[in-house]
Amino acid sequence: MYEPIKFPTKSGADAPGELVAPEGVERAPAVVLIQEWWGLNGQIRHVAARLAKEGFLVAIPDLYHGRWTVDPAEAQKLMEGLDWPRALDEIGSAAAFLKQHPRSNGHVGVVGFCLGGALSFASATVVPELEAVVPFYGLAPSDKFDYAKVKAPILAHFASKDEWAKADAARAVMEQMHSRGQTMELHVYEAGHAFAHESRKDVYVPEAAALAWSRTIAFLHRHLG
C-alpha cells in the first residue's frame, strides 16, 4: 500500500516520500499529508491509509529525509532543525507531483498535524496548486508568512487546552482573512494538543477526533472532488 516515491523539487534535487493510492483505477482527488514533529512514522501512515479509504490519492513528503523518533526531546531538535524553505519547496513539489499523477483528478489539497499543521498554513501562502488546506493544531507565524496570499479555503482544527498552538492565535488569523474576503473555517474542540493522535492514549480524545475527521473528509471532497 505504501509506495516509496521521489519527486523533483524546484531546487533540482529529488525529494523522498511515500504514496498511498485508493482502490480501483479511476482518477481521485489528491492530498499532500504532512507529518508531525516525530517524522514520517506509523501514525502518519495510518492517517494516509484512512484518507485512501475515503477515496484520496495521498503523498507524504518525508521532510526529515529518513529520520524519525519517539523521543520528545529528539523530536524537538528535529523540528527546530527543519529547513522551512526546503520543506515548503518539497510540499509544493509533492502537490505538483500529485496534480500530474495519472491517478489524480488534478485537484490537490493539504492536511497536516502539529508541525504539519503549521506547515499547512505556511504552504497555503506559497503553493498555488493547493485547493483545500486542513491544519490540525499548528499555526505558521503571521510575521513570517503573508496570509493575504492565501487563495485556497482553510478548515482549521484547534484545541481549547493547547498551549502550543493556541486557538486565539488561529482565531486572529481567521478574522484577518475574513476581513480580506478570504475563506477560513475554525473549529475549537474541548481537548488538548494532538487530540487526533490515535496511538497516544494520553492525549487522544475520540469524540473530538471523529468530529474533526468527518468535517475534514467532507471539506476535502467538497473542494477537491
Side-chain angles (χ1 to χ4, degrees), residues 30 36 104 106 109 119 143 158 178 197 200 206-207 221:
E36 297 173 299
S104 170
L119 286 165
D143 61 333
F158 279 69
H178 286 179
H197 195 302
R200 291 187 58 197
E207 298 83 2
H221 277 305

Side-chain angles (χ1 to χ4, degrees), residues 8-147:
T9 65
K10 293 179 182 177
S11 69
D14 284 343
E18 295 183 8
L19 185 75
V20 184
E23 292 184 358
V25 296
E26 66 278 3
R27 293 178 182 272
V31 173
V32 179
L33 179 61
I34 311 179
Q35 67 194 49
E36 297 173 299
W37 70 344
W38 310 106
L40 202 172
N41 61 5
Q43 169 64 20
I44 211 69
R45 290 187 178 99
H46 173 66
V47 175
R50 292 183 68 194
L51 285 168
K53 286 181 181 178
E54 296 287 353
F56 297 97
L57 177 68
V58 185
I60 319 170
D62 184 359
L63 301 181
Y64 290 164
H65 290 204
R67 298 185 66 184
W68 63 277
T69 185
V70 296
D71 177 63
E74 186 177 358
Q76 181 79 28
K77 291 179 181 178
L78 287 170
M79 181 176 70
E80 291 175 350
L82 182 66
D83 182 333
W84 274 58
R86 187 189 74 178
L88 289 170
D89 180 15
E90 293 178 1
I91 292 166
S93 299
F97 169 84
L98 285 175
K99 194 174 182 67
Q100 300 299 324
H101 194 279
R103 283 294 310 276
S104 170
N105 69 357
H107 299 291
V108 183
V110 63
V111 177
F113 297 80
C114 181
L115 168 63
L119 286 165
S120 295
F121 268 113
S123 65
T125 70
V126 297
V127 180
E129 288 88 356
L130 297 178
E131 298 177 58
V133 179
V134 185
F136 279 75
Y137 34 78
L139 185 65
S142 57
D143 61 333
K144 294 184 179 180
F145 296 95
D146 185 0
Y147 282 89

